[in-house]
Amino acid sequence: MAMTDTAPRRPLDTPTPLKRGLPAWTYGHPDLAKLEFERILKPSWQIVCHISNIPKPGDYATLDFGPESIVVVRDLAGQIGAFHNVCRHRAARLLEGEGNCPRAITCPYHGWSYNLDGGLRGVTVRDSFPGLDRGELGLLPIRMEIMLGFVFVCLAGNPPPLAKTWEGFLPEFAPYRIADMEPLGPVYFEDWDVDWKVAMDNYLESYHVPVGHPGLYRMFTPDYDDQLNLATGVARGTGWMRKQKSEKWSEGRYQDLVEGVVTDLPEENRRCWRFYSMLPNLGIDVFPDQMDFFQVLPRGPGKCTIRGATFGLPDTRREMRVLRYLNARINRQVQREDETLCKRVQRGLASGSYVPGPLSEHESCMVDFHDLIRAAIPAVRSPVPPASIS
Ligand code: FES
Ligand SMILES: [Fe+2]
């Protein structure tokens, strides 16, 4: 991904040394995986759901994140709160997935109940707890922010507010009206047998697009040609729709249809697909007809789960349904290609012969990601696994 600084390039005879990625051992080490979760993932913003997923009082959504579980719930006054999804009695997980609790959240173990604003409401066999202070035993709250209609939570540390981190891109999002969108389907989960960093490395660079995603490349210019990395850890690439129609039916049909269907958008937004990322593990794709987010969630060393969902403005027109069908079909193919490529990388990383190769300037976002990990966990600089990791 191209850097935005405008400093003059060095003369060709003194090139800057090429950057290298993290050593192979870091893509599947149990102690490192624990540190990554504590130092990099916990102190970062994570999407739980969109406000449109929980429109009514009592509606809730959960996010399982490493050993943690988070619930966001809309209370009777319509306010959204975020809490640890853990009973204050003996720790039972309170809620799963998403749904509605009409007035209270009731623990399935001994029946303690919590108000929708988190306060402890009722304790079964109350007399058996002499002196119990209900005020002390509400669900533990979690820092929460809403941006573009998405409910984000942060479990630790003190990352800057999202509006600050994304400030440079918020004007670009405006025409899409993402806060007004509704779910186009349920949250999906895909288990990939690759380390979470392999999946993120892949999303953070588009150098692989011309070879790895021939369909996408037939339809769009590569987004590294129109790339912006901000110093706050967010980046965006834009792929512009080619005038040349793809010969493949679904791709050519999408190219034909899109501009005539999404007429509420400014003209330039009708012709591009935009790909945003926020370190360490979030992707946001914005298309003229819909958008999606996905998180790469670690599932132990060398394994991850992709969690994501798709949203669109309310629109029942047949031509919009067709467009969204085509988009989903094209992106499903891209997703399968990415999974296959990531698995090939994970297998290659297992070979003792591999030392990290030089990286293209089109992989600069991945370099930023690796620098973030190096800063948080200096041990990853070691070419071989150190005796103890800190
Ligand atoms: S663990 Fe929840 S009521 Fe006992
Ligand atoms: Fe890809």
Side-chain angles (χ1 to χ4, degrees), residues 87 89-92 107 109-112:
C87 183
H89 177 223
R90 292 221 342 256
C107 179
Y109 199 176
H110 312 90
W112 284 27

Side-chain angles (χ1 to χ4, degrees), residues 202-203 205 208-209 212-213 216 334 337-338 341:
N202 173 69
Y203 184 69
E205 57 89 358
H208 71 280
V209 168
H213 300 304
L216 200 57
V334 172
E337 289 162 352
D338 278 329
L341 294 168

Side-chain angles (χ1 to χ4, degrees), residues 3 7 19 49 65 86 93 114 125 137 139 158 163 168 179 226 282 289-290 319 322 341-342 362 364:
M3 296 298 284
K19 301 277 174 56
C49 65
F65 186 45
V86 180
R93 174 76 48 98
Y114 301 88
V125 200
L137 291 165
L139 296 179
N158 195 21
D226 183 356
L282 176 67
D289 48 298
Q290 63 190 69
E319 55 271 33
V322 171
L341 294 168
C342 285
H362 295 328
S364 68

Side-chain angles (χ1 to χ4, degrees), residues 176-297:
Y176 297 98
R177 297 197 290 127
I178 291 172
D180 299 334
M181 289 185 176
E182 295 178 347
L184 295 180
V187 178
Y188 73 83
F189 297 86
E190 285 184 12
D191 288 347
W192 289 16
D193 285 339
V194 310
D195 193 74
W196 73 283
K197 299 188 294 305
V198 169
M200 270 322 281
D201 288 351
N202 173 69
Y203 184 69
L204 291 171
E205 57 89 358
S206 302
Y207 177 48
H208 71 280
V209 168
V211 175
H213 300 304
L216 200 57
Y217 191 60
R218 280 191 289 268
M219 297 174 69
F220 292 93
T221 61
D223 63 301
Y224 51 68
D225 283 344
D226 183 356
Q227 180 77 39
L228 188 56
N229 296 8
L230 302 183
T232 56
V234 292
R236 178 267 287 141
T238 306
W240 293 95
M241 201 165 67
R242 298 184 192 277
K243 296 229 164 25
Q244 170 89 33
K245 291 282 136 64
S246 164
E247 282 169 15
K248 204 164 161 211
W249 170 80
S250 52
E251 296 161 10
R253 193 86 191 99
Y254 184 91
Q255 284 170 297
D256 268 339
L257 278 177
V258 62
E259 290 183 75
V261 175
V262 294
T263 46
D264 286 348
L265 277 179
E267 240 165 72
E268 75 158 24
N269 298 87
R270 299 181 205 171
R271 294 183 295 109
C272 63
W273 279 13
R274 292 198 153 136
F275 307 96
Y276 296 84
S277 58
M278 177 168 70
L279 300 180
N281 71 330
L282 176 67
I284 292 180
D285 305 317
V286 181
F287 312 111
D289 48 298
Q290 63 190 69
M291 64 81 61
D292 65 73
F293 82 85
F294 66 87
Q295 289 148 305
V296 181
L297 303 173

